[in-house]
Amino acid sequence: MPVGEFDLIDRYFRRLDRPGGHARADVLLGVGDDAAVLRVPAGQELVAAIDTLVEGRHFLPGCAPQSIGHRALAVNLSDLAAMGAEPAWALLALTLPAAEEAFLEAFAAGLGRLAAAHHVALVGGDTTAGPLTVSVQVLGFVPPGQALRRAGGAPGDLLFVSGTPGDAAAGLQLERRAADGGVAPPGEAAAGQALRERFLYPTPRVALGRALRGLASACIDVSDGLAGDAAKLAAASGCGLRLEADALPLSPALRALAGPERALQLALEGGDDYELCFSLPPAQLPELAVAAQAGGCPLTCIGVLEQAPGVRLYRGGKIQPYVATGYDHFANSG
Ligand code: ADP
Ligand code: MG
């Protein structure tokens, strides 16, 4: 049943300004007035990011609304993680074709669950009618001068990635096939489900980003493909990059379903991982174990920054011809 705009905000979104039922003391005024009033902690820098998900481009038509709510926040938390920031507040601009209760309930549950897990308060937003589009803005803090950047890496710094890149891209392919009415081959069930979950419910590496402050020389979150995003980090740092194909951490599910060659390609070029890729001066290596522990996810050294610009992919000790192609919305939309 459709609901009115004010009902809708009240019923589904107002309660998310108390993440997990606990109010944040720094929210002086949340949902309900013309704007939110927020107290930035003394001596901290404010870090802001916004990302938009459009139906048919960032998620498939008919996608589970829980996943849309989760991903809309997760992609933003991932941007804050890449800066080493502590997320605090979010705003939601929601454009909906119709205010359907079942959709809103599930969407708010997906967003609310992730927000509660990170103690993020939804402090405001905007609701309009139109093609399904979800914009979330997140705000967070970082101690002065400690934000991680893409620039800052130097030749000789080791390059790391968290988690197992490529899984989400494989999961999206399985989602597409299911949406097209395709049938999963026998034996695929568990591995396929694991990969789909990686696409539908990515884990933003917020704790890892925080633990990398003062340790990583540069950091980026991997949203458009590892090779392309690593190349962006290297270029911003005024460096080039040697990537070791044999070192890439491919998950057992990805290997099983995609086979070794396709798995490698998905890990390098697939999107939607929301892992962190960072450079580390070798002298900092002993301290990385502590960050890995705090981050709660595996970290793998996949290469090294070099003086010469560009990306060089090595396999079996030999250089492979390779052109890094990150996802580009405008290049891919024609
Ligand atoms: P205004 O017309 O002043 O922009 P709105 O009716 O758009 O007011 O919003 C009323 C209140 O509800 C504001 O506090 C706004 O931040 C909040 N709000 C509107 N839409 C959403 C949403 N989708 N999620 C969270 N808060 C929302
Ligand atoms: Mg408004």
Side-chain angles (χ1 to χ4, degrees):
M1 205 181 75
V3 286
E5 178 190 335
F6 298 107
D7 256 16
L8 177 165
I9 297 166
D10 248 23
R11 219 186 290 173
Y12 300 106
F13 299 119
R14 188 185 290 274
R15 59 188 145 106
L16 301 189
D17 77 355
R18 297 171 60 85
H22 302 287
R24 286 186 64 107
D26 53 14
V27 178
L28 306 179
L29 197 53
V31 170
D33 214 302
D34 291 313
V37 181
L38 308 165
R39 188 191 290 123
V40 181
Q44 298 274 306
E45 287 171 357
L46 187 65
V47 181
I50 186 165
D51 255 316
T52 299
L53 303 189
V54 179
E55 183 178 55
R57 181 150 286 273
H58 302 96
F59 57 90
L60 300 174
C63 176
Q66 289 97 321
S67 164
I68 302 170
H70 177 103
R71 288 183 72 232
L73 181 59
V75 301
N76 281 284
L77 293 180
S78 179
D79 280 327
L80 256 61
M83 305 303 291
E86 175 85 42
W89 310 308
L91 293 116
L92 165 67
L94 185 58
T95 306
L96 290 166
E100 290 296 337
E101 283 182 81
F103 178 93
L104 284 161
E105 184 73 51
F107 172 87
L111 194 150
R113 207 169 133 200
L114 186 63
H118 291 277
H119 201 43
V120 166
L122 183 68
V123 296
D126 194 30
T127 308
T128 51
L132 183 55
T133 304
V134 188
S135 278
V136 171
Q137 180 187 38
V138 288
L139 300 161
F141 321 123
V142 75
Q146 287 195 36
L148 301 171
R149 301 173 186 217
R150 296 178 181 187
D157 286 0
L158 302 170
L159 196 76
F160 283 81
V161 72
S162 64
T164 51
D167 290 354
L172 173 58
Q173 290 188 346
L174 297 177
E175 283 287 295
R176 271 214 183 95
R177 192 186 61 195
D180 292 344
V183 179
E188 182 180 298
Q193 190 54 32
L195 297 177
R196 288 161 76 154
E197 291 281 316
R198 296 300 301 143
F199 174 75
L200 295 171
Y201 300 97
T203 307
R205 304 299 188 186
V206 175
L208 175 63
R210 219 167 25 215
L212 289 174
R213 279 183 208 153
L215 205 57
S217 51
C219 187
I220 188 170
D221 78 317
V222 181
S223 52
D224 298 335
L226 175 59
D229 286 334
K232 285 182 199 163
L233 180 153
S237 295
C239 298
L241 173 62
R242 171 176 174 148
L243 270 181
E244 302 290 346
D246 305 320
L248 287 174
L250 307 176
S251 75
L254 183 64
R255 283 177 200 270
L257 288 197
E261 288 306 309
R262 183 83 183 118
L264 182 64
Q265 190 193 7
L266 286 168
L268 286 170
E269 293 172 15
D272 302 302
D273 293 310
Y274 301 104
E275 296 296 346
L276 294 185
C277 175
F278 59 93
S279 55
L280 186 86
Q284 303 274 33
L285 252 183
E287 286 170 63
L288 191 62
V290 181
Q293 190 85 32
C297 56
L299 303 178
T300 309
C301 183
I302 56 165
V304 63
L305 295 183
E306 295 179 330
Q307 203 124 40
V311 177
R312 288 161 292 280
L313 182 69
Y314 279 75
R315 222 176 154 181
K318 290 204 193 82
I319 193 159
Q320 296 254 113
Y322 186 71
V323 184
T325 50
Y327 187 79
D328 179 326
H329 282 280
F330 294 99
N332 288 279
S333 63

